[in-house]
Amino acid sequence: MSVLATWTGTEAEHFGRVLDAFEDRTGIHVEYTGTRAIDETLRSDLRGGTPPDVAILPSTGDLAQYAHSGDLLPLDKVIPWQGQYRQPWLLRLNQRVYAVPFKVNLKSVVWYDRARWRRPAPLDMRDLLSLRADGGERTVWCLGMQALRSAGWPGTDWIEDVLLHQAGPETYRKWASGTLSWSSAPVRQAWETWGKILDASGLDRQGRRVALLTDFGEAGLGLFGDPPACLLEHQASFVIVSYPPGSDVDFFPFPSLNPWDSVPAHQPMVISADFAGMFNATPQAEELMRFLAGEEAQRIWPAIPSGAAFSANLRVPPDAHPAADPVGRKVADTLDAAAMVCLDASDLMPPALRDAFGDAVLEYLSAPERLPALLAELDRVQARVGDRWQPSDQERQDLRSFSCPGPLDRSTPTNPNGVTP
Amino acid sequence: MSTTRRTLWRLRAGLTVAVVALFATSFWLFQGVHQTANSRAVSAILEISSVRQALATADRAAVETFLGASKSAGPTLTLPAEQEYREQIQTAGLNLAQAARDDVAEDIPGRSDDLQLAQGMLAVYTTLVEQAGEHYRRGDDTVGATYLWGAFRLMHHDDQGILKTLDDAQERQWTWLRAQFPSTWAMRTATVSWGVCLLTTLALLCGTQLFLRRRFRRDLNPRLLAATGLVVVLAAATSLAYFSRASLDEAGTMTRRVAETRKAEVEAERRFGDERLARLLLPVCGAPSRCGPTVAKELRVRPGSPTPVLPAETVEAAEIRGVTTRMRDATEYAGLAFLIPLLAVTAGALIWSGIHPRLNEYRYRPR
């Protein structure tokens, strides 16, 4: 049977351990393909009539469209232990479950090298705007907007974090599910705030241009230069895999940006997740889906030191991460303690809008004064996307609740007989 | 049963077994070679190498187009380069579609649909180039260069670029070819067993003739003589597989040469494109050292380096025609496969009918 996902290199090796366990247990051979161009691959496979049996992808917007078109198959009868997840964490459309989160990444975090950054973590907007580079380093923020398939997404992560922390989860939900205009005040303000944070940190025009040409995977390596090229990196938890081995890194959560509540424990968190979905209803595919959703598989990757994989399965507690991986445990603890967790909004958007969002980030970095025109263009793209696939009221409601599935909250007991209420 | 009858019976049984074995090994050898020769692997390899070359040229042409369009980089041959870009993308698209039809590597482990993936990535690439064009037209060199840099990386990335994906697809065709009959132990085994079966059959036929002549004091048995002739014809027909294999080997060698030449051309285009892109990025970065770590790592030519020379096209049409001719030679005799069972069955029937009357003579005799 075939499995398609985005993981290559070290991450593919880590996922390989999960598949090895599955093969040992069932004797079913799995052929794994990892590619960053997963959207193109999956689309071309579907066009050719040969989809993978199981695909694991972060773009839930795509998954929703595949569910709508009938390519992605429902899992209600396949996975008996849905009770191991909080209900909103399962991709549910029209009362049917279509995908389960396999690997969760924490996005509302800022990374630093402990040897280079000794200041207290910023707690609010004022702290954030007061960050300045001192010494030999060129800038505060490590920024890289290039990605092989979809440039600009590291900037979309910034906008999402700022919007969530500035306007709150309800506004974020509306925006992520396409019911809030891009030109609206909260969204425009989020872009402007990001611009202010970068300006205040001393990122000049030249620095922005370098960011446009730099790959996201290499931007963070500036933390470890001598002297460092930058001091902080706003990036998802998976980035630690690309840091040099043995790096002494730590993180602080993204600070509050609203004036009424700067208590760290109350702050919402943006996460992304790789969701597993089934495209062929074979007994082998069903077996793998059951395995991937279950506790045994969900524990394997988090147990790898510095594996940077986190689970939404309620039976996988933070101590599933080895004691030798304090950063991993801290990420898991942070995820566990988050008052509210929201999914990466761009992953929820239809592909055309997601790409346009990334494009707008590039243009904004180059020419911030074009912001109103960029937002108006994003509104136009959003309207055009709606022409292609107009979700029903129920689907819109489902996607809206899915956009911020709420806290993980492992402390509340789950219902062993079915879906957790 | 008399001794003579027993001997005749044994000779007939031995000849039957020998002819059946000869038929099996002949068919194995003949079909093994010709099935490979009939496959489209060589075509797929040539098409993929042509796609790679066209894409590398297109990428270099795209950079040259925008080098001309850039307001700060000075004029160059914009229109011819743009025309070249379009033509090469069109050629690559057509060859890629043909290569996908000829792809034989479905059973090779790993991604079997690399070519489909490359098609998908090519669509992303052309979109990036179009976006670059849109920004250059607006006079926004920075974002234009950003998209062009993204397109360049998507094309040339060492691990996941389009050219690497195509390289993998091409390598899988070679792997498939290496695993086919003419290149494996099976060919040697089939040759040895075919030779043994042929010699055994001929030896048994001669032995039977001698035995009949001595025992029955008659001239040569005409049916066995005819069977011997047919066995020789069968051997001659089967040995045509060696001529086909030689053509196949030659086609493989020539294909490898063409693929290597095109690979060198792709490298040359890359170096040339690198230099052009470096010139295009220079005004964006301000200084060669200020383009950031990704440019420093992935652009092989530093901004300000001397211009490399773009080689004239070196793969001649004659070389491609040479491969096509050799492949045609390799399949020329494939249609004669029907002769092998026909000759074997006929020879077997002649052997039976040649020995049967003598066996009948000894049905009731004591010796």
Side-chain angles (χ1 to χ4, degrees):
Chain A
M1 62 168 299
S2 55
V3 174
L4 178 68
T6 54
W7 302 305
T8 57
T10 310
E11 289 184 307
E13 283 169 28
H14 292 163
F15 182 55
R17 295 200 204 176
V18 178
L19 295 180
D20 288 347
F22 173 72
E23 290 189 358
D24 289 347
R25 171 188 267 254
T26 62
I28 298 170
H29 174 67
V30 179
E31 192 167 295
Y32 170 68
T33 301
T35 172
R36 296 279 178 208
I38 193 165
D39 298 342
E40 290 75 30
T41 308
L42 188 54
R43 267 200 291 275
S44 78
D45 285 355
L46 284 166
R47 256 202 313 272
T50 55
D53 294 308
V54 169
I56 307 174
L57 55 160
S59 41
T60 36
D62 292 23
L63 283 169
Q65 284 201 7
Y66 290 136
H68 190 81
S69 63
D71 294 313
L72 183 65
L73 304 171
L75 301 171
D76 309 69
K77 292 178 183 161
V78 176
I79 298 172
W81 39 77
Q82 293 168 33
Q84 293 180 15
Y85 296 85
R86 297 277 163 219
Q87 185 185 357
W89 282 78
L90 302 168
L91 174 59
R92 189 179 291 272
L93 284 172
N94 300 316
Q95 318 290 325
R96 310 198 75 174
V97 171
Y98 282 95
V100 288
F102 177 70
K103 177 177 178 270
V104 175
N105 309 296
L106 182 58
K107 288 208 152 183
S108 291
V109 283
V110 176
W111 296 92
Y112 59 90
D113 181 350
R114 283 149 68 100
R116 311 280 169 82
W117 176 268
R118 297 176 192 282
R119 306 177 213 175
L123 292 176
D124 53 25
M125 178 75 107
R126 204 182 52 187
D127 291 353
L128 210 51
L129 293 178
S130 69
L131 293 177
R132 293 272 192 290
D134 48 23
E137 67 271 5
R138 285 164 63 174
T139 179
V140 173
W141 297 103
C142 307
L143 268 188
M145 292 297 131
Q146 280 288 331
L148 214 48
R149 241 295 286 123
S150 47
W153 69 257
T156 68
D157 282 1
W158 265 101
I159 307 286
E160 288 156 7
D161 236 347
V162 172
L163 180 69
L164 179 63
H165 287 82
Q166 200 163 252
E170 203 38 51
T171 305
Y172 186 90
R173 270 197 176 118
K174 283 186 195 161
W175 172 63
S177 57
T179 53
L180 181 66
S181 157
W182 287 83
S183 302
S184 64
V187 180
R188 195 185 62 247
Q189 207 184 343
W191 285 77
E192 289 167 350
T193 302
W194 182 41
K196 274 187 211 164
I197 293 169
L198 297 183
D199 286 343
S201 73
L203 187 77
D204 58 7
R205 203 168 190 78
Q206 176 60 29
R208 288 166 185 261
R209 287 174 169 182
V210 169
L212 288 172
L213 298 173
T214 300
D215 190 89
F216 76 94
E218 271 152 17
L221 299 181
L223 293 173
F224 311 101
D226 189 18
C230 48
L231 292 174
L232 298 172
E233 183 177 31
H234 175 263
Q235 190 50 277
S237 51
F238 55 67
V239 77
I240 50 179
V241 176
S242 63
Y243 287 157
S247 311
D248 187 14
V249 291
D250 201 352
F251 69 89
F252 55 78
F254 198 80
S256 162
L257 297 181
N258 67 61
W260 61 88
D261 187 355
S262 59
V263 179
H266 298 171
Q267 299 310 308
M269 291 276 174
V270 178
I271 61 152
S272 69
D274 297 283
F275 284 85
M278 187 173 74
F279 287 80
N280 283 321
T282 62
Q284 292 88 344
E286 292 180 353
E287 191 68 38
L288 181 63
M289 285 306 303
R290 269 192 290 278
F291 182 74
L292 291 177
E295 182 184 347
E296 181 189 346
Q298 294 268 333
R299 276 179 178 269
I300 294 173
W301 199 338
I304 300 170
S306 302
F310 306 93
S311 174
N313 187 304
L314 297 174
R315 295 193 185 170
V316 184
D319 62 15
H321 295 265
D325 181 15
V327 175
R329 272 208 180 176
K330 187 176 166 187
V331 172
D333 283 331
T334 309
L335 264 173
D336 243 28
M340 170 59 78
V341 165
C342 292
L343 280 166
D344 184 314
S346 56
D347 285 344
L348 289 156
M349 292 171 189
L353 184 58
R354 187 174 61 231
D355 290 348
F357 187 9
D359 294 344
V361 160
L362 300 181
E363 287 204 47
Y364 178 68
L365 264 182
S366 167
E369 65 281 2
R370 291 202 64 232
L371 181 61
L374 295 174
L375 295 177
E377 177 58 25
L378 284 168
D379 276 328
R380 276 194 289 278
V381 175
Q382 183 155 288
R384 279 205 300 272
V385 166
D387 291 345
R388 258 179 250 164
W389 175 47
Q390 196 68 51
S392 65
D393 288 346
Q394 180 60 50
E395 286 171 336
R396 204 178 282 283
Q397 182 57 40
D398 289 338
L399 288 173
R400 195 158 175 251
S401 21
F402 184 61
S403 60
C404 289
L408 260 177
D409 191 15
R410 293 181 213 269
S411 54
T412 310
T414 57
N415 173 3
N417 298 320
V419 175
T420 305
Chain B
M1 187 190 283
S2 70
T3 312
T4 303
R5 182 175 162 78
R6 193 181 304 120
T7 307
L8 280 172
W9 193 90
R10 281 180 182 163
L11 281 170
R12 190 180 67 176
L15 275 166
T16 306
V17 170
V19 168
V20 168
L22 180 62
F23 159 69
T25 51
S26 301
F27 201 71
W28 184 22
L29 191 60
F30 194 87
Q31 284 299 80
V33 171
H34 287 106
Q35 273 175 359
T36 306
N38 274 326
S39 79
R40 307 289 301 161
V42 168
S43 302
I45 289 168
L46 287 176
E47 281 144 12
I48 293 169
S49 69
S50 161
V51 173
R52 291 185 82 248
Q53 188 205 14
L55 288 179
T57 307
D59 189 65
R60 187 259 304 152
V63 176
E64 288 200 297
T65 302
F66 296 122
L67 192 58
S70 163
K71 61 188 176 195
S72 43
T76 184
L77 306 170
T78 307
L79 274 176
E82 191 175 342
Q83 178 75 12
E84 188 177 22
Y85 166 76
R86 290 189 194 290
E87 283 174 7
Q88 295 294 341
I89 288 289
Q90 201 174 11
T91 305
L94 291 172
N95 282 341
L96 197 48
Q98 185 58 46
R101 282 194 287 275
D102 291 340
D103 187 6
V104 291
E106 284 174 4
D107 301 328
I108 303 296
R111 274 204 71 75
S112 57
D113 51 356
D114 274 331
L115 295 175
Q116 272 187 29
L117 173 60
Q119 280 173 323
M121 289 164 81
L122 185 55
V124 178
Y125 171 85
T126 50
T127 306
L128 288 172
V129 173
E130 279 163 24
Q131 281 173 310
E134 207 173 296
H135 284 279
Y136 276 116
R137 271 192 292 279
R138 269 195 235 151
D140 185 355
D141 282 13
T142 303
V143 180
T146 303
Y147 280 113
L148 201 57
W149 172 236
F152 180 86
R153 294 186 71 221
L154 184 63
M155 182 63 73
H156 294 285
H157 194 270
D158 286 345
D159 295 329
Q160 297 188 49
I162 298 173
L163 295 179
K164 176 69 169 65
T165 306
L166 289 169
D167 205 26
D168 291 345
Q170 189 173 309
E171 189 48 43
R172 253 192 279 284
Q173 313 295 317
W174 282 118
T175 307
W176 185 88
L177 271 178
R178 282 194 292 270
Q180 295 312 297
F181 179 87
S183 311
T184 61
W185 58 268
M187 179 79 191
R188 287 188 293 277
T189 310
T191 299
V192 171
S193 32
W194 175 71
V196 169
C197 290
L198 178 63
L199 292 176
T200 308
T201 309
L202 289 174
L204 279 172
L205 280 167
C206 291
T208 308
Q209 288 279 20
L210 287 173
F211 177 75
L212 292 175
R213 189 171 181 176
R214 200 169 59 236
R215 178 63 65 196
F216 297 94
R217 294 186 177 78
R218 294 185 187 183
D219 289 336
L220 289 174
N221 183 317
R223 295 192 180 213
L224 288 185
L225 197 60
T228 308
L230 288 183
V231 166
V232 171
V233 175
L234 175 63
T238 306
S239 63
L240 291 175
Y242 291 97
F243 291 101
S244 302
R245 193 216 166 165
S247 298
L248 194 59
D249 284 349
E250 216 173 321
T253 308
M254 292 171 83
T255 304
R256 196 169 283 284
R257 213 162 41 228
V258 169
E260 288 301 322
T261 308
R262 283 185 170 156
K263 204 168 191 171
E265 286 169 29
V266 167
E267 277 303 306
E269 292 284 5
R270 162 83 200 255
R271 280 196 300 278
F272 198 83
D274 269 20
E275 191 274 337
R276 287 292 195 259
L277 190 57
R279 274 174 58 186
L280 202 136
L281 291 177
L282 193 59
V284 176
C285 305
S289 58
R290 298 185 66 194
C291 286
T294 307
V295 174
K297 184 176 156 193
E298 294 182 24
L299 205 61
R300 294 180 193 164
V301 180
R302 298 282 82 80
S305 311
T307 308
V309 180
L310 194 61
E313 196 165 317
T314 48
V315 173
E316 300 292 341
E319 289 182 73
I320 307 292
R321 274 202 303 277
V323 175
T324 313
T325 307
R326 295 297 174 284
M327 285 308 292
R328 208 171 38 236
D329 292 349
T331 54
E332 193 178 355
Y333 304 121
L336 298 178
F338 76 96
L339 278 180
I340 292 172
L342 184 69
L343 290 168
V345 167
T346 313
L350 286 169
I351 288 166
W352 271 65
S353 60
I355 298 177
H356 193 68
R358 305 287 83 79
L359 268 171
N360 271 347
E361 284 179 29
Y362 272 81
R363 181 171 289 175
Y364 306 109
R365 293 188 192 180
R367 62 177 284 256

